[in-house]
Amino acid sequence: MDGNAGTGGSRALVSLMLASFGIGTGEFVIVGLVPGLASDLRVSVPTAGLLVSVYALSVAFGSPFVAALLSSVSLALIAAWIPRQLGGRSSGIRRELGALRQPQIWLAMLVSTLSSVELFTVLTFLTPLLEHEAGLTPHGAALGLFLFGAGLTVGGLIGGCWGNGNAVRFIRGLLLLDAITLVGLGSLVRTGPLALASIVAWGIAAFALVPPFQHRVAVQAKMAPNLASTLNQSAFNVGDALGAALGATVLANGSGYAALPWIGAVVVCLALLPAFLSREDSP
């Protein structure tokens, strides 16, 4: 391999990693702050959880402007290190819009949205869930968030390594695993250490879905790669907003935090419907 090509590829990965880290930090950091924000703002925890919905909607509909301002360093690195010619051709906006008429693209985005709804229905209120239901101290709840983040990292690596084959089959299997881990969390939430183990398993299953989602959309939208990938991120963030709102609604109507994993499992089961309606990738 050419040494310059190898260095350029490494730099490209670093720049994309930094951009992903910035987006992920902005999206997930609020989760651990929800109880403190509720106390400081003198509102209920469900109301404070709606801050996640506000953030997610701002990303879904204003991401081009926010990204240009919340990622300037990453943008500069991407511009400097990502090869300008990747073997593809740019498509006109009319051509890209026309390609989005394919039902398979929208089925993939629907699965992405519903999986995000499931994730943020529980994750938004994970800290009070661990404190009130698992009986953990604030430090113990912080450990739970750390373990969940470790699960996300492992899941992302698994999805990236194994999700580029038949993405639809992989997604179906992961959705089933996701539902099982949420049922496990709902059943074991009051058992302390076992609850933490369930959170790790859930994090792995939930985030292993992300790379095959992106792959699926990219394969189905070859004629509209730019617009489709952007819309997929918007679909994910719309799901974030809906999930936080769903969790807040469940809590505001009198259900306890322990109900949230079960609600998430139901949403995952709903996501299985468009997943099984999706056409499998050609070998």
Side-chain angles (χ1 to χ4, degrees), residues 63-64 84 86 88-97 99-100 105 109 214 217-234:
S63 56
R84 286 173 171 73
L86 296 178
R89 296 181 179 178
S90 60
S91 302
I93 186 63
R94 184 176 299 178
R95 189 177 183 181
E96 292 216 357
L97 287 172
L100 292 180
I105 296 176
M109 292 184 182
Q214 294 284 13
V217 172
V219 168
Q220 294 299 318
K222 292 180 180 179
M223 304 305 295
N226 301 314
L227 188 56
S229 60
T230 301
L231 286 177
N232 192 48
Q233 289 304 310
S234 293

Side-chain angles (χ1 to χ4, degrees), residues 105-154:
I105 296 176
W106 294 102
L107 283 173
M109 292 184 182
L110 179 57
V111 178
S112 181
T113 299
L114 289 173
S115 69
S116 181
V117 170
E118 162 264 316
L119 177 64
F120 275 82
T121 296
V122 184
L123 180 59
T124 303
F125 305 100
L126 186 58
T127 297
L129 172 70
L130 292 175
E131 292 179 0
H132 292 278
E133 301 295 341
L136 300 180
T137 65
H139 287 91
L143 174 62
L145 291 175
F146 174 81
L147 292 174
F148 178 77
L152 296 187
T153 302
V154 174

Side-chain angles (χ1 to χ4, degrees), residues 25-243:
T25 300
E27 193 158 359
F28 289 100
V29 72
I30 186 67
V31 171
L33 304 177
V34 168
L37 286 170
S39 176
D40 291 345
L41 297 175
R42 298 181 181 178
V43 297
S44 66
V45 170
T47 300
L50 292 176
L51 290 172
V52 176
S53 296
V54 174
Y55 169 81
L57 289 175
S58 71
V59 173
F61 298 106
S63 56
F65 308 102
V66 176
L69 293 173
L70 289 172
S71 303
S72 57
V73 175
S74 298
L75 183 62
L77 292 175
I78 289 172
W81 292 344
I82 296 293
R84 286 173 171 73
Q85 299 296 329
L86 296 178
R89 296 181 179 178
S90 60
S91 302
I93 186 63
R94 184 176 299 178
R95 189 177 183 181
E96 292 216 357
L97 287 172
L100 292 180
R101 295 173 183 170
Q102 300 179 45
Q104 292 298 318
I105 296 176
W106 294 102
L107 283 173
M109 292 184 182
L110 179 57
V111 178
S112 181
T113 299
L114 289 173
S115 69
S116 181
V117 170
E118 162 264 316
L119 177 64
F120 275 82
T121 296
V122 184
L123 180 59
T124 303
F125 305 100
L126 186 58
T127 297
L129 172 70
L130 292 175
E131 292 179 0
H132 292 278
E133 301 295 341
L136 300 180
T137 65
H139 287 91
L143 174 62
L145 291 175
F146 174 81
L147 292 174
F148 178 77
L152 296 187
T153 302
V154 174
L157 292 173
I158 292 174
C161 292
W162 296 347
N164 291 331
N166 193 318
V168 173
R169 290 185 182 178
F170 194 55
I171 288 170
R172 291 170 182 167
L174 284 174
L175 286 172
L176 288 170
L177 180 61
D178 200 7
I180 291 171
T181 58
L182 280 169
V183 169
L185 177 58
S187 302
L188 301 172
V189 68
R190 294 187 175 92
T191 62
L194 290 178
L196 294 178
S198 299
I199 287 172
V200 175
W202 173 49
I204 293 173
F207 238 60
L209 283 162
V210 175
F213 280 153
Q214 294 284 13
H215 176 74
R216 173 66 177 172
V217 172
V219 168
Q220 294 299 318
K222 292 180 180 179
M223 304 305 295
N226 301 314
L227 188 56
S229 60
T230 301
L231 286 177
N232 192 48
Q233 289 304 310
S234 293
F236 187 82
N237 280 282
V238 167
D240 294 357
L242 293 175

